[in-house]
Each structure stands twice: as C-alpha cells, then as structure tokens.
Coordinates of all heavy atoms in Angstrom, one line a residue:
V1 N 0.6 -10.4 -7.4 CA -0.4 -10.7 -6.3 C -1.8 -10.7 -7.0 O -2.2 -9.8 -7.6 CB -0.4 -9.7 -5.2 CG1 -1.3 -10.1 -4.1 CG2 1.0 -9.6 -4.6
L2 N -2.5 -11.9 -6.8 CA -3.8 -12.1 -7.5 C -4.8 -12.7 -6.4 O -4.3 -13.3 -5.5 CB -3.7 -13.1 -8.6 CG -2.9 -12.7 -9.8 CD1 -2.7 -14.0 -10.7 CD2 -3.5 -11.6 -10.6
P3 N -6.1 -12.5 -6.7 CA -7.0 -13.3 -5.9 C -6.9 -14.7 -6.3 O -6.6 -15.1 -7.4 CB -8.4 -12.7 -6.3 CG -8.1 -11.3 -6.9 CD -6.7 -11.5 -7.5
Y4 N -7.3 -15.6 -5.4 CA -7.3 -17.0 -5.7 C -8.8 -17.3 -6.0 O -9.6 -17.7 -5.1 CB -6.9 -17.9 -4.5 CG -6.8 -19.4 -4.9 CD1 -5.7 -19.9 -5.5 CD2 -7.8 -20.2 -4.5 CE1 -5.6 -21.2 -5.8 CE2 -7.8 -21.6 -4.8 CZ -6.7 -22.1 -5.5 OH -6.6 -23.4 -5.8
Y5 N -9.2 -17.2 -7.3 CA -10.5 -17.5 -7.7 C -10.7 -19.0 -7.8 O -9.7 -19.8 -7.9 CB -10.8 -16.9 -9.1 CG -10.6 -15.4 -9.2 CD1 -9.5 -14.8 -9.8 CD2 -11.6 -14.5 -8.6 CE1 -9.4 -13.4 -9.9 CE2 -11.5 -13.1 -8.7 CZ -10.3 -12.6 -9.4 OH -10.2 -11.3 -9.5
S6 N -11.9 -19.5 -7.9 CA -12.2 -20.9 -8.1 C -11.5 -21.4 -9.4 O -11.1 -22.6 -9.5 CB -13.7 -21.2 -8.1 OG -14.3 -20.4 -9.1
S7 N -11.4 -20.5 -10.4 CA -10.8 -20.9 -11.7 C -9.3 -21.2 -11.6 O -8.7 -21.9 -12.5 CB -11.0 -19.8 -12.8 OG -10.4 -18.6 -12.3
N8 N -8.6 -20.7 -10.6 CA -7.2 -20.9 -10.5 C -6.8 -22.4 -10.4 O -5.8 -22.8 -10.9 CB -6.6 -20.2 -9.2 CG -6.7 -18.7 -9.3 OD1 -7.0 -18.0 -8.3 ND2 -6.5 -18.1 -10.5
A9 N -7.7 -23.1 -9.7 CA -7.4 -24.5 -9.5 C -7.4 -25.3 -10.8 O -6.9 -26.5 -10.9 CB -8.4 -25.1 -8.5
K10 N -7.9 -24.8 -11.9 CA -8.0 -25.5 -13.2 C -6.8 -25.3 -14.0 O -6.7 -25.9 -15.1 CB -9.3 -25.0 -13.9 CG -10.6 -25.1 -13.2 CD -11.7 -24.5 -13.9 CE -13.0 -24.6 -13.1 NZ -14.1 -23.9 -13.8
I11 N -5.8 -24.5 -13.6 CA -4.6 -24.3 -14.3 C -3.5 -25.3 -13.9 O -3.0 -25.3 -12.8 CB -4.1 -22.9 -14.2 CG1 -5.2 -21.9 -14.5 CG2 -2.9 -22.6 -15.0 CD1 -5.7 -21.9 -15.9
P12 N -3.2 -26.3 -14.8 CA -2.2 -27.3 -14.4 C -0.8 -26.9 -14.6 O 0.1 -27.7 -14.2 CB -2.6 -28.5 -15.4 CG -3.0 -27.8 -16.6 CD -3.7 -26.5 -16.1
S13 N -0.5 -25.7 -15.2 CA 0.9 -25.4 -15.6 C 1.7 -24.8 -14.4 O 2.9 -24.5 -14.6 CB 0.8 -24.4 -16.7 OG 0.0 -23.3 -16.4
C14 N 1.1 -24.7 -13.3 CA 1.9 -24.1 -12.2 C 1.5 -24.8 -10.8 O 0.3 -24.7 -10.4 CB 1.5 -22.6 -12.1 SG 2.3 -21.7 -10.7
R15 N 2.5 -25.4 -10.2 CA 2.2 -26.1 -9.0 C 2.2 -25.1 -7.9 O 3.1 -24.3 -7.7 CB 3.3 -27.1 -8.7 CG 3.1 -27.9 -7.4 CD 4.2 -28.9 -7.2 NE 4.1 -29.6 -5.9 CZ 4.5 -29.1 -4.8 NH1 5.2 -28.0 -4.7 NH2 4.4 -29.8 -3.6
L16 N 1.1 -25.1 -7.1 CA 0.9 -24.1 -6.0 C 1.3 -24.7 -4.6 O 0.9 -25.9 -4.3 CB -0.5 -23.6 -6.0 CG -1.0 -22.9 -7.2 CD1 -2.4 -22.4 -7.0 CD2 -0.1 -21.8 -7.6
E17 N 2.0 -23.9 -3.9 CA 2.4 -24.3 -2.5 C 1.5 -23.5 -1.5 O 1.4 -22.3 -1.7 CB 3.9 -24.0 -2.3 CG 4.3 -24.1 -0.9 CD 5.7 -23.5 -0.7 OE1 6.3 -23.0 -1.6 OE2 6.2 -23.5 0.5
R18 N 1.0 -24.1 -0.6 CA 0.2 -23.4 0.4 C 1.1 -22.9 1.5 O 1.9 -23.6 2.1 CB -0.9 -24.3 1.0 CG -1.8 -23.5 2.0 CD -3.2 -24.2 2.1 NE -4.1 -23.3 2.9 CZ -5.4 -23.5 3.1 NH1 -5.9 -24.5 2.4 NH2 -6.1 -22.7 3.8
L19 N 0.9 -21.6 1.8 CA 1.7 -20.9 2.8 C 0.9 -20.6 4.0 O -0.4 -20.7 4.0 CB 2.3 -19.6 2.3 CG 3.2 -19.7 1.0 CD1 3.6 -18.3 0.6 CD2 4.4 -20.6 1.3
P20 N 1.5 -20.3 5.2 CA 0.7 -20.0 6.3 C -0.3 -18.8 6.1 O 0.1 -17.8 5.4 CB 1.7 -19.6 7.4 CG 3.0 -20.3 7.0 CD 2.9 -20.3 5.5
G21 N -1.5 -19.0 6.5 CA -2.5 -17.9 6.3 C -2.4 -16.8 7.4 O -1.6 -16.9 8.3
Y22 N -3.3 -15.9 7.3 CA -3.3 -14.8 8.2 C -4.7 -14.1 8.2 O -5.6 -14.6 7.4 CB -2.2 -13.7 8.0 CG -2.1 -13.2 6.6 CD1 -2.6 -11.9 6.3 CD2 -1.5 -13.9 5.6 CE1 -2.5 -11.4 5.0 CE2 -1.4 -13.4 4.3 CZ -1.9 -12.1 4.0 OH -1.8 -11.6 2.8
E23 N -4.9 -13.1 9.0 CA -6.2 -12.5 9.1 C -6.2 -11.0 8.6 O -5.1 -10.4 8.7 CB -6.7 -12.5 10.5 CG -7.0 -13.9 11.1 CD -7.6 -13.9 12.5 OE1 -7.4 -12.8 13.2 OE2 -8.2 -14.9 12.9
V24 N -7.3 -10.6 8.1 CA -7.4 -9.2 7.6 C -8.6 -8.6 8.3 O -9.7 -9.3 8.5 CB -7.7 -9.2 6.1 CG1 -8.3 -7.9 5.6 CG2 -6.4 -9.4 5.3
H25 N -8.5 -7.4 8.8 CA -9.6 -6.7 9.5 C -10.2 -5.6 8.7 O -9.5 -4.6 8.3 CB -9.0 -6.2 10.9 CG -8.4 -7.2 11.7 ND1 -9.1 -8.1 12.5 CD2 -7.1 -7.5 12.0 CE1 -8.3 -8.9 13.2 NE2 -7.1 -8.5 12.8
L26 N -11.4 -5.8 8.3 CA -12.2 -4.8 7.7 C -13.1 -4.1 8.7 O -14.2 -4.6 9.0 CB -13.0 -5.3 6.5 CG -12.3 -6.0 5.4 CD1 -11.9 -7.4 5.7 CD2 -13.1 -5.9 4.1
S27 N -12.6 -3.1 9.4 CA -13.3 -2.5 10.5 C -13.5 -3.5 11.5 O -12.6 -4.2 12.1 CB -14.5 -1.8 10.0 OG -15.2 -1.1 11.1
W28 N -14.8 -3.8 11.8 CA -15.2 -4.8 12.8 C -15.2 -6.2 12.4 O -15.3 -7.1 13.2 CB -16.6 -4.4 13.4 CG -17.6 -4.3 12.3 CD1 -17.9 -3.1 11.7 CD2 -18.4 -5.3 11.7 NE1 -18.9 -3.4 10.7 CE2 -19.2 -4.7 10.7 CE3 -18.5 -6.7 11.9 CZ2 -20.1 -5.4 10.0 CZ3 -19.5 -7.4 11.2 CH2 -20.3 -6.7 10.2
R29 N -15.0 -6.4 11.1 CA -15.0 -7.8 10.5 C -13.6 -8.4 10.4 O -12.7 -7.7 10.1 CB -15.6 -7.8 9.1 CG -17.2 -7.8 9.1 CD -17.7 -7.2 7.8 NE -17.3 -5.8 7.6 CZ -17.6 -5.1 6.6 NH1 -18.2 -5.6 5.6 NH2 -17.2 -3.8 6.6
T30 N -13.5 -9.6 10.7 CA -12.2 -10.3 10.5 C -12.4 -11.4 9.5 O -13.3 -12.2 9.6 CB -11.7 -10.9 11.9 OG1 -11.5 -9.9 12.8 CG2 -10.4 -11.7 11.7
Q31 N -11.6 -11.4 8.5 CA -11.6 -12.4 7.4 C -10.3 -13.1 7.3 O -9.2 -12.5 7.4 CB -12.0 -11.8 6.1 CG -13.4 -11.3 6.0 CD -14.5 -12.4 5.9 OE1 -14.1 -13.6 5.9 NE2 -15.7 -12.0 5.8
K32 N -10.3 -14.4 7.1 CA -9.0 -15.2 7.0 C -8.5 -15.2 5.5 O -9.3 -15.3 4.6 CB -9.3 -16.6 7.5 CG -9.5 -16.7 9.0 CD -9.6 -18.1 9.5 CE -9.9 -18.2 11.0 NZ -10.0 -19.6 11.5
V33 N -7.2 -15.1 5.4 CA -6.5 -15.2 4.1 C -5.9 -16.6 4.0 O -5.1 -17.0 4.8 CB -5.5 -14.1 4.0 CG1 -4.7 -14.3 2.7 CG2 -6.1 -12.7 4.1
S34 N -6.2 -17.3 2.9 CA -5.5 -18.5 2.5 C -4.5 -18.1 1.5 O -4.9 -17.4 0.5 CB -6.4 -19.6 2.0 OG -7.4 -19.9 2.9
L35 N -3.2 -18.4 1.7 CA -2.2 -17.9 0.8 C -1.5 -19.0 0.0 O -1.1 -20.0 0.6 CB -1.2 -17.1 1.6 CG -0.1 -16.3 0.9 CD1 -0.7 -15.3 0.0 CD2 0.9 -15.7 1.8
Y36 N -1.3 -18.8 -1.2 CA -0.7 -19.8 -2.1 C 0.4 -19.1 -2.9 O 0.3 -18.0 -3.3 CB -1.7 -20.4 -3.1 CG -2.9 -21.1 -2.4 CD1 -4.0 -20.3 -2.1 CD2 -2.9 -22.4 -2.1 CE1 -5.1 -20.9 -1.4 CE2 -4.0 -23.0 -1.4 CZ -5.1 -22.2 -1.1 OH -6.2 -22.8 -0.5
K37 N 1.4 -19.9 -3.2 CA 2.6 -19.4 -4.0 C 2.9 -20.4 -5.1 O 2.8 -21.6 -5.0 CB 3.8 -19.3 -3.1 CG 5.1 -18.9 -3.8 CD 6.3 -19.0 -2.8 CE 7.6 -18.7 -3.5 NZ 8.8 -18.8 -2.5
G38 N 3.2 -19.8 -6.3 CA 3.6 -20.6 -7.4 C 4.6 -19.8 -8.3 O 4.6 -18.6 -8.3
V39 N 5.4 -20.5 -9.1 CA 6.3 -19.8 -10.0 C 5.9 -20.3 -11.4 O 5.8 -21.4 -11.7 CB 7.7 -20.2 -9.7 CG1 8.7 -19.6 -10.7 CG2 8.1 -19.8 -8.3
Y40 N 5.7 -19.3 -12.3 CA 5.3 -19.5 -13.7 C 6.1 -18.6 -14.6 O 6.1 -17.3 -14.4 CB 3.8 -19.3 -13.8 CG 3.3 -19.5 -15.2 CD1 3.1 -20.8 -15.8 CD2 3.0 -18.4 -16.1 CE1 2.7 -21.0 -17.0 CE2 2.6 -18.6 -17.4 CZ 2.4 -19.9 -17.9 OH 1.9 -20.1 -19.1
E41 N 6.9 -19.1 -15.5 CA 7.7 -18.4 -16.5 C 8.6 -17.4 -15.8 O 8.8 -16.2 -16.2 CB 6.8 -17.7 -17.5 CG 6.0 -18.7 -18.3 CD 5.4 -18.1 -19.6 OE1 5.7 -16.9 -19.9 OE2 4.7 -18.8 -20.3
G42 N 9.2 -17.8 -14.6 CA 10.1 -16.9 -13.9 C 9.5 -15.9 -13.0 O 10.2 -15.2 -12.3
I43 N 8.2 -15.8 -13.0 CA 7.5 -14.9 -12.2 C 6.9 -15.6 -10.9 O 6.4 -16.7 -11.0 CB 6.3 -14.3 -12.9 CG1 6.7 -13.7 -14.3 CG2 5.6 -13.2 -12.1 CD1 5.6 -13.6 -15.3
T44 N 7.1 -15.0 -9.8 CA 6.5 -15.6 -8.5 C 5.1 -15.0 -8.3 O 4.9 -13.8 -8.3 CB 7.4 -15.3 -7.3 OG1 8.7 -15.8 -7.6 CG2 6.8 -16.0 -6.1
F45 N 4.2 -15.9 -8.2 CA 2.8 -15.5 -8.0 C 2.4 -15.8 -6.6 O 2.7 -16.9 -6.0 CB 1.8 -16.3 -9.0 CG 1.9 -15.8 -10.4 CD1 2.9 -16.3 -11.2 CD2 1.0 -14.9 -10.9 CE1 3.0 -15.9 -12.6 CE2 1.1 -14.4 -12.2 CZ 2.1 -14.9 -13.0
Y46 N 1.6 -14.9 -6.0 CA 1.0 -15.1 -4.7 C -0.5 -14.9 -4.9 O -1.0 -13.9 -5.4 CB 1.6 -14.1 -3.7 CG 3.0 -14.3 -3.3 CD1 4.0 -13.6 -4.0 CD2 3.4 -15.3 -2.4 CE1 5.4 -13.9 -3.7 CE2 4.7 -15.5 -2.0 CZ 5.7 -14.8 -2.7 OH 7.0 -15.1 -2.4

C-alpha cells in the first residue's frame, strides 16, 4: 500500500486499474480516496 504521488503516473512498467473510491474522516474533515491497483513483479500494489 503506497500513496499515489504525482510521480507514480510516470512509471510505464505497471498498468494501473482504477477502483471505486471511498471517504476518510479525519475528525471533522472528510477527504476522498482515489484508489488504484497494479501488479508488478508478482506483487499487488494499491
């Protein structure tokens, strides 16, 4: 499990699939999660 930084999009070696997002609550704040999945060298990345 990794953050999706802006640099992730520059890696061509792993095709990413967008999964349904969800919300995270930090006390009174609500932030949306965009979730992506990819497989690289047998490892599943989220």
Side-chain angles (χ1 to χ4, degrees):
V1 184
L2 296 171
Y4 186 83
Y5 302 105
S6 54
S7 58
N8 295 142
K10 301 175 184 176
I11 305 298
S13 53
C14 178
R15 181 179 176 275
L16 298 184
E17 171 191 0
R18 184 156 187 168
L19 301 179
Y22 54 101
E23 292 182 341
V24 162
H25 301 283
L26 298 85
S27 183
W28 51 269
R29 281 156 294 181
T30 298
Q31 293 283 5
K32 293 184 177 180
V33 175
S34 300
L35 187 63
Y36 303 87
K37 175 185 177 181
V39 178
Y40 179 77
E41 298 196 2
I43 309 159
T44 303
F45 286 85
Y46 292 94

